[in-house]
C-alpha cells in the first residue's frame, strides 16, 4: 500500500494543487507593491470581458450581477473599518477638534483585497459567458438604468456619510507643510538667493 492515501501519502492531484497554490500565492505576494501595474492588468481583463459581451451581444444579466458586486466592493472600499455611527453610540468617536486624538482611516476592504476581488469577479464573469444557458434574454437598457440609479443612490449616501463624520477614504500622499512667513521676509530671502 505504498503511496496510498490511507498510508498518509499524497496523491498527485493534491500535490499539484498544493504546488499551484504556493506558486499562485508567491506571485500574488510579489504583485502587492505594484499597485498601478495590478490595476492596469485588471483594466485589461475588464476590457476583454466587455469586448466578449459586446461580441456575443448577450449575457447582460451576468454583467448586471457583476456591476452590483463591484458596487458592493466599492462601498466596502470607501467605508471605514469601524462605523462612526456605531462608535458614537459607544461613546467614542472620530476626532473633530485639533486636540482630539488622531485616528487614521482604516478601510473595511483594503485596496489589495478590493483589487483581487474585482479581478476575480471579471475572470469568473468572463468564464460564465461561455455557457449559453446563462444568456438570459433581457432588455438591457432597463438593467443599465437601474444600475446607474443604484450607483448614484449609494454613492450619495456614502458621500453624505463621509461629510457627516469628516473622513476621507483616499490617501493622496504625504502631507506637506509650507513655511508661513510674512511677505516682507520672503521678499528679502528671494533677493539674497
Amino acid at each position: 500500500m505504498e503511496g496510498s492515501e490511507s498510508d498518509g501519502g499524497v496523491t498527485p492531484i493534491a500535490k499539484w494543487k498544493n504546488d499551484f497554490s504556493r506558486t499562485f500565492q508567491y506571485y500574488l505576494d510579489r504583485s502587492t507593491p505594484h499597485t498601478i501595474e495590478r490595476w492596469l492588468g485588471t483594466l485589461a481583463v475588464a476590457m476583454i470581458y466587455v469586448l466578449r459581451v459586446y461580441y456575443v451581444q448577450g449575457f447582460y444579466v451576468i454583467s448586471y450581477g457583476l456591476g452590483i458586486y463591484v458596487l458592493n466592493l466599492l462601498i466596502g472600499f470607501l467605508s471605514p473599518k469601524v462605523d462612526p455611527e456605531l462608535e458614537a453610540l459607544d461613546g467614542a468617536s472620530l476626532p473633530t477638534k485639533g486636540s482630539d486624538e488622531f485616528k487614521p482611516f482604516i478601510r473595511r476592504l483594503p485596496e489589495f483585497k478590493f483589487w483581487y476581488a474585482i479581478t476575480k469577479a471579471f475572470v469568473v464573469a468572463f468564464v460564465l459567458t461561455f455557457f449559453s444557458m446563462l444568456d438570459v434574454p433581457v432588455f438591457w437598457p432597463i438593467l443599465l438604468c437601474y444600475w446607474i440609479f443604484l450607483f448614484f443612490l449609494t454613492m450619495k449616501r456614502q458621500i453624505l456619510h463621509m461629510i457627516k463624520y469628516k473622513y476621507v477614504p483616499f490617501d493622496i500622499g504625504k502631507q506637506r507643510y509650507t513655511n508661513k512667513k510674512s511677505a516682507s521676509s520672503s521678499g528679502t530671502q528671494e533677493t539674497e538667493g
Side-chain angles (χ1 to χ4, degrees), residues 75-82 84 94 102-110 158 161-162 165-171:
I75 294 298
F77 180 70
L78 295 176
S79 299
K81 188 173 187 177
V82 178
L94 288 173
F102 171 74
K103 294 180 182 179
F105 181 80
I106 300 172
R107 299 177 189 285
R108 185 169 19 130
L109 181 64
Q158 189 65 33
H161 192 268
M162 288 190 240
Y165 291 103
K166 299 178 182 149
Y167 66 89
V168 179
F170 304 108
D171 184 16

Side-chain angles (χ1 to χ4, degrees), residues 10-24:
V10 179
T11 63
I13 294 175
K15 183 181 180 328
W16 179 84
K17 182 181 175 190
N18 188 27
D19 290 345
F20 177 78
S21 177
R22 283 177 179 237
T23 304
F24 182 74

Side-chain angles (χ1 to χ4, degrees), residues 167-185:
Y167 66 89
V168 179
F170 304 108
D171 184 16
I172 301 170
K174 184 176 179 181
Q175 190 174 10
R176 292 191 172 94
Y177 298 98
T178 56
N179 204 358
K180 293 184 179 180
K181 293 185 178 181
S182 65
S184 62
S185 65

Side-chain angles (χ1 to χ4, degrees), residues 72-112:
N72 186 27
L73 291 174
L74 183 63
I75 294 298
F77 180 70
L78 295 176
S79 299
K81 188 173 187 177
V82 178
D83 191 5
E85 286 180 346
L86 300 176
E87 200 173 69
L89 296 176
D90 296 340
S93 64
L94 288 173
T96 56
K97 297 180 279 190
S99 61
D100 288 348
E101 178 187 354
F102 171 74
K103 294 180 182 179
F105 181 80
I106 300 172
R107 299 177 189 285
R108 185 169 19 130
L109 181 64
E111 183 271 334
F112 185 80

